[in-house]
């Protein structure tokens, strides 16, 4: 039994609370905190962008540094040192009328495009992290469907891949499209955390519920379409037009991935806005259907397969438009997402969450965790593969699935003598292990009800010195094996060369000889 700190309500899988959990991965890169705000910015301007929403207002000025008690800054502002990288963060308010589509269609209903069920006016926000100099733009954007299972927006895709986006000249757009994230949950342990409640002065004008008349998130899909259209806009009144965003990818993790799966199957065939999709940690009750025709990659962790993504109804073969990768040993909520540092941009369930809401009570899990598998590296490779597929027609590699003894749920696996799952995308943490990392855990006690989220944490138990000595007679042998695994992953295109160098450098600081 172990007691761990819950980083402010990590998300619960759909089987437990009607929606999947979030959180992806994190590497402790620890960029410096953004500098405090400088002189007062000009008043935000409202204009018609010519595509997508009816109006866009901004940039919305921030008069305080992130963490300031006034909270007069963009919620979940990234600690990544954007300025040093030639990037900037801007927040805009967008407004318009959203066509409503069924938000929880059955698998059978997702076999065809959605039928509109009405309209609703909305005002919400987007957060844009972009090159300051438009000439540095690669013409690619990712629209991150903000995850709200914790009761507030969490920028999961930036947490896994913000460094990849910046190094490749991509633009990231955080999309606040669901009622819980904007208006806040009405009741329960995550109530009172929405944007309007977090800072009524800054966000009090936002509303995606039509004054409380629409509470099923049926508005979310068309708002998401309008944000994609805005990204591709060419009008001089569109503040993103100078970036010349030709390819715009839809992305979301866990709960957001489930909504994005519904969007892919039922709304993308109507809107045709997005050029590619990346589903992280889950998708809808119906896997991406081939009739849509838009290229998509699904990236799952071992936890996700345990909890149902390996079931027959969710298992579909790779095709001309679909790939599925499963990361061995990785957990739905990885260790790096819970890092307590406020300066780590990956700490979306750790230091950043604590900065916005204060510390949370510890949870009690059966095993120490979360998993230490650095799945961020596989997500980087997935984004690169999706881009090459869309832009150059180069198909992503086919990945071996995890080896199952039963699909469940809960699934059970073929494991080696150390308890590590066989098959899947095998990063050095499992291919050249120094610990038992897997996607399985659970609550030891529910004295704190939030301990139910332990099912998402996975396990990480360091090997004993006897285990390490049996595997690696010397540090040199261990490091050579890491280098070989990295080389193989790069050759197979499940790892980018730059990330491979990072993993090799980390191995040089790891001793297996005691």
């Amino acid at each position: 039994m172990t007691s761990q700190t819950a980083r402010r309500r990590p998300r619960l899988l759909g089987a437990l609370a009607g929606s999947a959990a979030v959180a992806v991965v994190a590497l402790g890169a620890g960029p410096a905190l953004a500098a405090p705000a400088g002189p007062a910015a000009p008043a935000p301007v409202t204009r018609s962008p010519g595509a997508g929403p009816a109006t866009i207002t901004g940039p919305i000025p921030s008069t305080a540094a992130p963490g300031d008690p006034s909270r007069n800054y963009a919620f979940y502002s990234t600690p990544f040192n954007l300025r040093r990288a030639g990037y900037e963060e801007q927040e805009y308010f967008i407004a318009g009328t959203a066509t409503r589509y069924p938000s929880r269609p059955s698998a059978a209903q997702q076999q065809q495009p959605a039928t509109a069920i009405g309209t609703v006016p909305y005002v919400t926000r987007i957060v844009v992290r972009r090159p300051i100099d438009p000439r540095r733009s690669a013409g690619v954007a990712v629209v991150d469907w903000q995850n709200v299972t914790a009761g507030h927006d969490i920028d999961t895709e930036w947490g896994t891949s913000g460094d990849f986006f910046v190094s490749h000249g991509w633009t990231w757009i955080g999309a606040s499209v669901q009622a819980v994230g904007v208006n806040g949950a009405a009741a329960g342990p995550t109530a009172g955390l929405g944007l309007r409640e977090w800072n009524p002065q800054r966000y009090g004008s936002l509303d995606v519920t039509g004054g409380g008349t629409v509470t099923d998130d049926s508005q979310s899909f068309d708002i998401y379409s309008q944000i994609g259209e805005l990204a591709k806009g060419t009008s001089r009144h569109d503040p993103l037009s100078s970036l010349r965003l030709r390819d715009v990818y839809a992305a979301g993790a866990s709960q957001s991935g489930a909504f994005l799966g519904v969007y892919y199957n039922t709304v993308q065939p109507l809107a045709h806005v997005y050029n590619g999709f990346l589903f992280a940690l889950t998708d809808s009750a119906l896997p991406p259907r081939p009739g849509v025709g838009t290229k998509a990659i699904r990236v799952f962790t071992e936890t996700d397969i345990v909890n149902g993504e390996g079931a027959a109804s969710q298992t579909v073969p790779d095709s001309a438009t679909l790939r599925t990768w499963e990361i061995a040993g990785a957990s739905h909520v990885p260790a790096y997402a819970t890092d307590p540092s406020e300066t780590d941009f990956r700490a979306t369930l750790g230091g950043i969450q604590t900065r916005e809401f204060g510390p949370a009570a510890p949870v009690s899990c059966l095993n120490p965790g979360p998993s230490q598998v650095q799945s961020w590296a596989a997500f980087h490779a997935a984004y690169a593969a999706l881009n090459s597929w869309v832009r150059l027609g180069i198909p992503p590699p086919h990945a071996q699935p995890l080896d199952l003894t039963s699909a469940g749920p809960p699934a059970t696996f073929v494991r080696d003598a150390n308890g590590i799952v066989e098959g899947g995308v095998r990063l050095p943490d499992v291919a050249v292990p120094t610990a038992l990392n897997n996607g399985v855990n659970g609550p030891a006690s529910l004295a704190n009800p939030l301990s139910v989220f332990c099912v998402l944490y996975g396990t990480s138990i360091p090997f004993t010195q006897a285990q390490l000595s049996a595997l690696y007679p010397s540090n040199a042998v261990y490091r050579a094996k890491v280098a070989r695994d990295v080389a193989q992953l790069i050759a197979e295109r499940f790892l980018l060369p730059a990330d491979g160098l990072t993993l090799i450098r980390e191995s040089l600081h790891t001793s297996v000889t005691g």
Side-chain angles (χ1 to χ4, degrees):
M1 180 186 301
T2 183
S3 179
Q4 299 165 327
T5 300
R7 298 302 170 189
R8 196 68 181 189
R9 303 179 182 90
R11 278 119 340 258
L12 184 60
L13 284 168
L16 297 174
S19 61
V22 338
V24 269
V25 291
L27 171 67
L33 278 168
V45 175
T46 298
R47 51 201 151 179
S48 174
T55 63
I56 184 167
T57 301
I60 308 301
S62 294
T63 62
D68 187 90
S70 72
R71 294 182 170 177
N72 195 18
Y73 57 88
F75 178 75
Y76 252 59
S77 179
T78 183
F80 198 108
N81 194 326
L82 295 173
R83 184 68 57 174
R84 186 171 62 191
Y87 267 61
E88 62 185 345
E89 178 180 84
Q90 297 175 326
E91 184 176 49
Y92 294 90
F93 293 169
I94 59 173
T97 299
T99 299
R100 296 172 56 209
Y101 298 105
S103 57
R104 291 171 176 82
S106 67
Q109 291 169 328
Q110 292 182 54
Q111 294 286 356
Q112 58 189 3
T115 299
I117 57 174
T119 61
V120 63
Y122 74 87
V123 183
T124 190
R125 72 154 189 170
I126 60 171
V127 177
V128 180
R129 296 168 189 153
R130 52 164 289 174
I132 297 172
D133 183 349
R135 292 173 297 181
R136 287 196 54 207
S137 171
V140 178
V142 170
V143 180
D144 188 348
W145 187 305
Q146 300 277 267
N147 186 286
V148 301
T149 312
H152 58 83
D153 283 355
I154 295 180
D155 49 2
T156 56
E157 295 311 289
W158 180 265
T160 62
S161 302
D163 50 346
F164 171 86
F165 301 151
V166 167
S167 65
H168 287 79
W170 291 20
T171 294
W172 175 91
I173 303 171
S176 299
V177 299
Q178 290 185 251
V180 167
V182 175
N183 295 70
T190 62
L193 307 179
L195 291 169
R196 287 164 55 102
E197 298 149 316
W198 185 77
N199 187 338
Q201 289 72 40
R202 186 178 184 88
Y203 296 122
S205 65
L206 307 188
D207 178 28
V208 295
T209 68
T213 62
V214 175
T215 58
D216 60 358
D217 279 331
S218 54
Q219 81 293 331
S220 61
F221 304 105
D222 194 41
I223 297 176
Y224 192 73
S225 290
Q226 292 182 32
I227 293 169
E229 291 167 345
L230 175 72
K232 290 183 171 181
T234 58
S235 166
R236 63 186 180 87
H237 300 297
D238 183 338
L240 304 182
S241 63
S242 64
L243 297 169
R244 301 182 183 276
L245 299 173
R246 187 185 75 188
D247 293 307
V248 180
Y249 303 137
S254 192
Q255 179 263 350
S256 302
F259 270 84
L260 201 60
V262 173
Y263 182 97
Y264 182 95
N265 287 329
T266 68
V267 181
Q268 172 71 1
L270 302 172
H272 300 290
V273 172
Y274 289 96
N275 302 91
F277 285 71
L278 194 145
F279 301 101
L281 313 182
T282 193
D283 53 15
S284 72
L286 178 72
R289 61 184 181 92
V292 175
T294 306
K295 295 176 174 65
I297 299 179
R298 306 190 299 172
V299 183
F300 299 144
T301 67
E302 183 178 325
T303 305
D304 309 318
I305 305 304
V306 168
N307 288 290
E309 293 297 343
S313 62
Q314 295 302 113
T315 302
V316 290
D318 287 354
S319 70
T321 57
L322 181 66
R323 292 290 188 273
T324 300
W325 296 359
E326 299 171 5
I327 308 172
S331 56
H332 195 95
V333 174
Y336 303 100
T338 65
D339 192 310
S341 172
E342 292 185 12
T343 66
D344 187 347
F345 74 94
R346 299 198 198 279
T348 54
L349 291 174
I352 300 172
Q353 200 173 47
T354 300
R355 182 193 75 192
E356 307 297 42
F357 294 106
V363 297
S364 180
C365 299
L366 289 170
N367 304 319
S371 169
Q372 296 279 350
V373 172
Q374 300 187 73
S375 47
W376 58 267
F379 281 96
H380 289 189
Y383 274 112
L386 179 63
N387 191 53
S388 293
W389 202 7
V390 170
R391 289 197 149 193
L392 304 175
I394 301 173
H398 299 279
Q400 179 186 353
L402 298 177
D403 290 346
L404 301 178
T405 56
S406 171
T412 55
F413 301 93
V414 177
R415 297 188 181 277
D416 67 15
N418 292 309
I420 295 173
V421 67
E422 300 281 9
V425 176
R426 305 186 67 76
L427 295 165
D429 295 302
V430 295
V432 193
T434 59
L436 168 61
N437 285 293
N438 66 37
V440 182
N441 209 331
S445 166
L446 291 178
N448 176 358
L450 296 179
S451 295
V452 72
F453 293 116
C454 292
V455 299
L456 307 179
Y457 279 23
T459 293
S460 185
I461 302 174
F463 286 167
T464 64
Q465 187 56 56
Q467 287 176 293
L468 291 172
S469 297
L471 291 168
Y472 316 111
S474 68
N475 285 325
V477 169
Y478 164 73
R479 292 161 185 167
K481 288 186 174 183
V482 170
R484 282 196 294 272
D485 182 56
V486 164
Q488 179 177 340
L489 289 167
I490 292 172
E492 295 172 344
R493 293 190 290 138
F494 295 119
L495 184 67
L496 301 182
D499 294 333
L501 287 175
T502 297
L503 299 182
I504 287 174
R505 290 190 189 105
E506 289 187 358
S507 75
L508 300 178
H509 298 284
T510 300
S511 176
V512 295
T513 59

